[in-house]
Amino acid sequence: MSEQTKYLLDESRIPKHWYNIQADLPKALPPVLHPGTMQPVGPDDLAPLFPMALIMQEVSTEREIEIPEPVREVFRLWRPSPLFRAHRLEKALGTPAKIFYKYEGVSPAGSHKPNTAIPQAFYNKEAGVKRLSTETGAGQWGSSLAFAGTLFGLDVTVFQVRVSYDQKPYRRALMETYGARCLPSPSTETAFGRSVLAKDPKHPGSLGIAISEAVEIAAQREDTKYALGSVLNHVLLHQTIVGQEAMEQMAMADAYPDVIVGCTGGGSNFAGIAFPFIGAGLRGGAKPRIVAVEPAACPSLTRGRYAYDFGDTGHMTPLAKMHTLGSVFTPPGFHAGGLRYHGMAPLVSHLKELGLIEATAYHQTECFAAGVTFARAEGIVPAPEANHAVKGAIEEALRCKREGKAETILFNLCGHGHFDMQAYMDYSAGKLTDQKYDESELAMALAGLPSVPEPA
Amino acid sequence: MSEQTKYLLDESRIPKHWYNIQADLPKALPPVLHPGTMQPVGPDDLAPLFPMALIMQEVSTEREIEIPEPVREVFRLWRPSPLFRAHRLEKALGTPAKIFYKYEGVSPAGSHKPNTAIPQAFYNKEAGVKRLSTETGAGQWGSSLAFAGTLFGLDVTVFQVRVSYDQKPYRRALMETYGARCLPSPSTETAFGRSVLAKDPKHPGSLGIAISEAVEIAAQREDTKYALGSVLNHVLLHQTIVGQEAMEQMAMADAYPDVIVGCTGGGSNFAGIAFPFIGAGLRGGAKPRIVAVEPAACPSLTRGRYAYDFGDTGHMTPLAKMHTLGSVFTPPGFHAGGLRYHGMAPLVSHLKELGLIEATAYHQTECFAAGVTFARAEGIVPAPEANHAVKGAIEEALRCKREGKAETILFNLCGHGHFDMQAYMDYSAGKLTDQKYDESELAMALAGLPSVPEPA
């Protein structure tokens, strides 16, 4: 009898609470500031954008926040997601390490994003909201919110970065199949979009611009709220279901990670797999090494400044203290669109400052090479974003091989690459390059960071 | 507490045997004939194309055939697949029926095809084969065999119908990511391909032509065998794991189907979900209605003739008695490429003749409409092939509504549509039409069926 490959939990064991790391932080998170007054925002300041239930989660310091039963009911469509032991990858690498991966590609949208799209749609529906507006890059988040919208009967409007809208029509088709409306951003629907188009009618768009457009629409209409797919505390909170399940599944495998690896764009996927384990360590349990992997072409954690900055290009959002490349920084157009954001989640940034996590950056061709190695060994073709975690995990496994250590490595495979085969075609044709950002542009973007009074 | 959504089996409960319906048939299957002598073929006649273990499965009448442990070991990557209760679809339809679906889209290739690709690769590897050749249309089968090839260390060459090769590059990219070689068919690699190109250098190809090319390559080389993704008895045998698991999962749900629906192209997906239930009925158990759903543009079961015919256009394969539209019939280019084959599996055809199954045909636009209804209710976007089963199941559920009957409906959702979003885009843009085949072409193809002596 061979060793087990896959660790499954019954749907009755979908967690009943999200884990809120704010309860266990040795030092509280710096407050978020109002873009007009530069003073800490209160719940009412955020009310035009979010329903109060989500605002309360944003600022909560309760350790456990209950997952509503209608949300768990939808999660049953794909949760609990499987945890795999990567026997074949271990063999291919010749490593003494044990590699485990949690797989979030089993969701209907193919990524971890529905974990927060579903509760966000639920709380908005409960609050009487009729329509959600949001932004998306490659479309993982937009398609997940479209999926959530159809299940809860909400209209969803998605501003998709124009270059992705034009070049990657398949996730847009997924959004439209779920009944959402998808617009290329910058668009003529918003004042901010029109102002960008006035300067450059062929502007390719960016996540920062699309966020400004989605926020503008939500702020103007009583029946419309805004939904964000990463960065914010409540979004990271919703993803902790991933790490909580993984903890139970690792126990089934009679194992505990020595190292946890996650890819980081805005930070929600990384938080999902890592926070429950970090929290257990903060409460006196084992302390695995926690490794955040980001793209070298958009390296907020490894090259950004820890400072107050806007979440969007139009400077409509509150300011948060985070690792940032500057809200006007435009990352090169690499394939992992989900990691292409100037800032890092305040909670992830805070943990980095506290020395509780490590960060490293890789270029996209080495990440695709890792993804192909993984696909040929384990069968699953990872999304370009997930390839960064695969690369990080393989590097740890090869270190274990060099050092002769049988460590246990856990990573989150946050989505499948079935919508991203053009990127694999470009990779195998040798057409992918390792874009570098412009150092002088980064310096300028950092020099332009807003100056805010340091709160007492 | 709400009703259960998902029925999961532990990986220890992956079936240990395939179910062979030939053991329970009230009348034996007509023999397969040699294309030269028109006499029944023996195992040795097939030895150039297949390893002996598969040939023995092809002709076996044992009820249970053991699944080798290394095959079950690979199956653990995604099997047992989930069975879902479609609560939301039932509600959307307002039907008293209970709808269950088995979901095969969780495999790494996104469809049911790896269920036979894995054992075929295993038996070939065991027999010392180095290379497999095969054909593929849209690419479900080719990508599944490529996946199996990388796991067992076999080189895989795939002849892909040229029109799909050119228009649908993403499954090709998947094959290449798994390390397979993919050629557009007709190709210049084979004598038959060259003969087709000599007549028409821009020939769009067909599955019948691609089969001829793959068979030619395999017949010529000692180290190379041929692999087929449907139609043959051993392929249908391998898919019965789907129905066996579904039977266990229905028992967990304390239910048994009154109606089973499957889409049919070559017949393997349909056989997989239906044969174990048909067999139970033949052995004295309950007899659910069994409904095969095929595309109206390629209606072998509902409009074809039950006669001996070749499996390929080049007439290199043996002749089998089956429902056929004629081996020179070219179906219109609709989107469900996996259902675009002139013949039907001999076993499925035989069951139709014995009155053990029903058959119906639908046009593609009504199938896509059903797929969008399903996606908006259940979250999963089905492959175009699977939409035929969805349409069939919805029609049964609506009949139950009209008749006020709370019947239990089971169907197999054989794959996800993430590689097929162009088809959904065309559908939502109103660009999909219901192609009709040419009646006079069908009449000519049927008139050209080979005349063979009826075996005693």
Side-chain angles (χ1 to χ4, degrees):
Chain A
M1 185 62 196
S2 43
E3 274 189 285
Q4 199 164 348
T5 299
K6 185 163 80 272
Y7 298 88
L8 293 175
L9 298 169
D10 187 83
E11 63 182 36
S12 68
R13 287 167 78 189
I14 294 171
K16 295 194 167 62
H17 298 86
W18 289 296
Y19 166 65
N20 183 9
I21 200 167
Q22 294 198 68
D24 293 316
L25 289 176
K27 187 181 160 191
L29 198 61
V32 167
L33 306 183
H34 191 284
T37 65
M38 297 289 179
Q39 293 302 309
V41 298
D44 289 347
D45 294 319
L46 298 171
L49 295 186
F50 304 107
M52 199 48 70
L54 290 175
I55 295 170
M56 290 294 106
Q57 291 181 0
E58 188 68 17
V59 297
S60 172
T61 53
E62 293 292 312
R63 183 171 292 133
E64 295 194 328
I65 295 178
E66 192 178 352
I67 305 178
E69 187 50 35
V71 169
R72 294 179 78 242
E73 177 67 34
V74 175
F75 283 166
R76 287 177 187 142
L77 289 171
W78 75 97
R79 302 212 70 86
S81 67
L83 178 90
F84 291 92
R85 170 80 185 272
H87 292 297
R88 289 180 180 76
L89 180 63
E90 293 167 15
K91 202 172 155 195
L93 299 173
T95 179
K98 291 182 184 177
I99 307 176
F100 291 87
Y101 61 98
K102 181 80 170 161
Y103 183 41
E104 292 293 309
V106 293
S107 84
S111 79
H112 65 295
K113 292 290 186 188
N115 295 334
T116 184
I118 297 298
Q120 289 195 49
F122 167 77
Y123 290 117
N124 275 286
K125 183 73 179 181
E126 286 282 291
V129 173
K130 304 289 179 210
R131 191 163 68 134
L132 291 175
S133 71
T134 196
E135 72 292 326
T136 200
Q140 287 102 328
W141 168 242
S143 55
S144 299
L145 195 68
F147 159 57
T150 185
L151 294 188
F152 285 102
L154 290 164
D155 288 341
V156 174
T157 302
V158 182
F159 290 90
Q160 184 171 25
V161 175
R162 180 181 288 273
V163 62
S164 293
Y165 182 94
D166 290 337
Q167 290 177 1
K168 300 184 171 181
Y170 298 112
R171 278 207 184 82
R172 167 159 60 97
L174 184 58
M175 294 180 230
E176 291 172 349
T177 298
Y178 287 137
R181 182 167 174 242
C182 189
L183 297 164
S185 166
S187 78
T188 56
E189 294 255 326
T190 66
F192 186 68
R194 288 189 294 273
S195 78
V196 174
L197 289 172
K199 283 178 218 151
D200 180 0
K202 293 185 172 172
H203 197 293
S206 74
L207 267 182
I209 293 168
I211 293 174
S212 296
E213 291 205 273
V215 166
E216 183 182 322
I217 289 274
Q220 280 170 354
R221 296 177 53 142
E222 191 66 39
D223 66 350
T224 303
K225 299 280 183 198
Y226 170 67
L228 188 66
S230 190
V231 179
L232 298 179
N233 301 344
H234 69 270
V235 180
L236 276 57
L237 173 79
H238 298 159
Q239 293 292 351
T240 57
I241 196 168
V242 175
Q244 290 179 86
E245 286 180 8
M247 205 175 268
E248 271 208 72
Q249 290 164 310
M250 292 296 285
M252 288 168 74
D254 204 16
Y256 202 85
D258 298 300
V259 190
I260 296 173
V261 180
C263 61
T264 43
S268 74
N269 159 67
F270 172 78
I273 189 75
F275 281 11
F277 290 93
I278 296 173
L282 289 170
R283 295 192 305 277
K287 288 185 166 58
R289 282 178 52 225
I290 311 280
V291 182
V293 182
E294 62 181 9
C298 189
S300 55
L301 268 180
T302 54
R303 295 290 314 277
R305 189 170 301 165
Y306 185 56
Y308 272 101
D309 198 7
F310 293 96
D312 70 328
T313 307
H315 295 183
M316 298 175 198
T317 68
L319 289 87
K321 193 153 186 187
M322 59 184 179
H323 288 86
T324 178
L325 301 165
S327 66
V328 298
F329 176 78
T330 305
F334 54 89
H335 273 288
L339 308 181
R340 216 170 142 260
Y341 183 64
H342 69 273
M344 179 55 60
L347 273 170
V348 174
S349 296
H350 188 61
L351 293 172
K352 175 76 164 37
E353 285 302 297
L354 294 174
L356 294 169
I357 65 171
E358 307 170 25
T360 184
Y362 293 109
H363 285 288
Q364 70 174 352
T365 55
E366 58 190 343
C367 291
F368 271 92
V372 170
T373 297
F374 184 85
R376 291 186 183 179
E378 294 289 316
I380 299 169
V381 178
E385 293 80 5
N387 280 341
H388 290 74
V390 173
K391 171 67 178 170
I394 287 179
E395 285 302 314
E396 291 294 331
L398 293 176
R399 176 189 56 73
C400 288
K401 184 179 180 178
R402 286 192 305 273
E403 298 175 357
K405 289 184 181 164
E407 292 182 20
T408 297
I409 300 166
L410 168 65
F411 73 99
N412 194 27
L413 192 70
C414 58
H416 69 59
H418 292 180
F419 290 107
D420 305 286
M421 295 314 298
Q422 184 64 50
Y424 280 91
M425 290 171 71
D426 292 348
Y427 169 71
S428 66
K431 287 185 196 163
L432 275 199
T433 55
D434 288 337
Q435 302 102 322
K436 306 223 182 324
Y437 54 84
D438 185 323
E439 289 281 358
S440 63
E441 192 196 333
L442 175 59
M444 268 178 54
L446 290 174
L449 284 174
S451 81
V452 300
E454 205 47 44
Chain B
M1 185 60 195
S2 41
E3 273 190 284
Q4 200 165 346
T5 299
K6 185 163 79 275
Y7 297 87
L8 293 176
L9 298 169
D10 188 81
E11 63 182 36
S12 68
R13 289 167 78 188
I14 293 171
K16 295 193 165 63
H17 298 86
W18 289 296
Y19 166 66
N20 183 9
I21 200 168
Q22 294 198 69
D24 292 317
L25 289 176
K27 187 181 161 192
L29 200 61
V32 166
L33 306 183
H34 191 285
T37 64
M38 297 288 178
Q39 293 301 308
V41 298
D44 289 347
D45 294 319
L46 297 171
L49 294 186
F50 303 107
M52 199 48 71
L54 289 175
I55 295 170
M56 291 294 106
Q57 291 180 1
E58 189 67 18
V59 297
S60 171
T61 53
E62 293 291 314
R63 182 171 293 132
E64 293 194 328
I65 295 178
E66 191 178 352
I67 304 178
E69 187 50 34
V71 170
R72 295 179 77 242
E73 177 65 34
V74 176
F75 282 166
R76 287 177 187 142
L77 288 171
W78 76 96
R79 302 212 70 85
S81 67
L83 178 89
F84 291 91
R85 169 82 184 271
H87 292 297
R88 289 180 182 76
L89 179 63
E90 292 167 16
K91 202 173 156 196
L93 300 174
T95 179
K98 291 181 183 177
I99 307 175
F100 290 87
Y101 61 98
K102 180 80 169 161
Y103 182 42
E104 292 294 309
V106 293
S107 84
S111 79
H112 66 295
K113 292 290 186 190
N115 295 334
T116 184
I118 297 299
Q120 289 195 50
F122 167 77
Y123 289 117
N124 275 285
K125 183 73 180 180
E126 287 282 291
V129 173
K130 303 289 181 212
R131 191 163 68 135
L132 291 175
S133 72
T134 196
E135 73 292 326
T136 202
Q140 286 102 329
W141 167 242
S143 56
S144 298
L145 195 69
F147 160 56
T150 184
L151 294 188
F152 286 101
L154 290 164
D155 287 341
V156 173
T157 302
V158 182
F159 291 91
Q160 184 171 24
V161 175
R162 181 182 287 274
V163 61
S164 292
Y165 183 93
D166 290 337
Q167 290 178 1
K168 299 184 171 181
Y170 298 111
R171 277 207 184 81
R172 166 158 62 95
L174 184 58
M175 295 181 230
E176 291 172 350
T177 297
Y178 287 138
R181 182 166 174 243
C182 188
L183 298 164
S185 167
S187 78
T188 56
E189 295 255 325
T190 67
F192 185 69
R194 289 189 294 272
S195 77
V196 173
L197 289 173
K199 283 178 219 152
D200 180 359
K202 291 185 175 173
H203 197 293
S206 73
L207 267 182
I209 292 169
I211 294 174
S212 296
E213 292 206 272
V215 165
E216 183 182 322
I217 290 273
Q220 280 170 355
R221 297 179 54 143
E222 191 65 38
D223 65 350
T224 303
K225 299 280 184 200
Y226 170 67
L228 188 66
S230 191
V231 179
L232 298 178
N233 302 345
H234 69 270
V235 181
L236 274 57
L237 174 79
H238 297 158
Q239 293 293 351
T240 57
I241 197 168
V242 175
Q244 290 179 88
E245 287 179 7
M247 205 175 268
E248 271 207 72
Q249 290 163 310
M250 292 296 284
M252 288 168 75
D254 204 15
Y256 202 84
D258 298 299
V259 191
I260 295 173
V261 180
C263 62
T264 44
S268 75
N269 158 66
F270 173 77
I273 189 75
F275 281 11
F277 290 93
I278 297 174
L282 289 170
R283 295 193 305 279
K287 289 184 166 58
R289 283 177 52 224
I290 311 281
V291 182
V293 182
E294 62 182 9
C298 190
S300 56
L301 268 181
T302 53
R303 295 290 315 276
R305 189 170 301 166
Y306 186 54
Y308 271 101
D309 198 6
F310 294 95
D312 70 327
T313 307
H315 295 183
M316 299 176 198
T317 68
L319 289 86
K321 193 152 185 188
M322 58 185 179
H323 288 86
T324 179
L325 301 165
S327 66
V328 298
F329 175 78
T330 305
F334 54 90
H335 272 289
L339 308 182
R340 218 171 139 259
Y341 182 64
H342 69 274
M344 181 52 62
L347 273 171
V348 174
S349 296
H350 188 62
L351 292 172
K352 176 75 165 36
E353 285 302 297
L354 294 174
L356 294 169
I357 65 170
E358 307 169 25
T360 183
Y362 292 109
H363 284 288
Q364 70 174 352
T365 53
E366 57 191 343
C367 292
F368 272 91
V372 170
T373 297
F374 184 84
R376 292 185 182 179
E378 293 289 315
I380 299 170
V381 177
E385 293 80 6
N387 280 341
H388 290 74
V390 173
K391 171 67 178 170
I394 288 179
E395 285 301 313
E396 291 294 332
L398 294 176
R399 176 189 57 74
C400 288
K401 185 180 180 178
R402 286 192 304 273
E403 298 175 356
K405 288 184 181 164
E407 292 182 19
T408 297
I409 301 166
L410 168 66
F411 73 98
N412 194 26
L413 192 71
C414 59
H416 69 60
H418 292 179
F419 290 108
D420 305 286
M421 295 315 297
Q422 185 64 51
Y424 279 90
M425 290 171 71
D426 292 349
Y427 169 71
S428 66
K431 288 185 196 162
L432 276 199
T433 55
D434 287 336
Q435 302 101 324
K436 308 223 180 322
Y437 55 83
D438 184 325
E439 288 281 358
S440 63
E441 192 195 332
L442 175 59
M444 270 179 53
L446 290 174
L449 284 174
S451 79
V452 301
E454 202 51 40

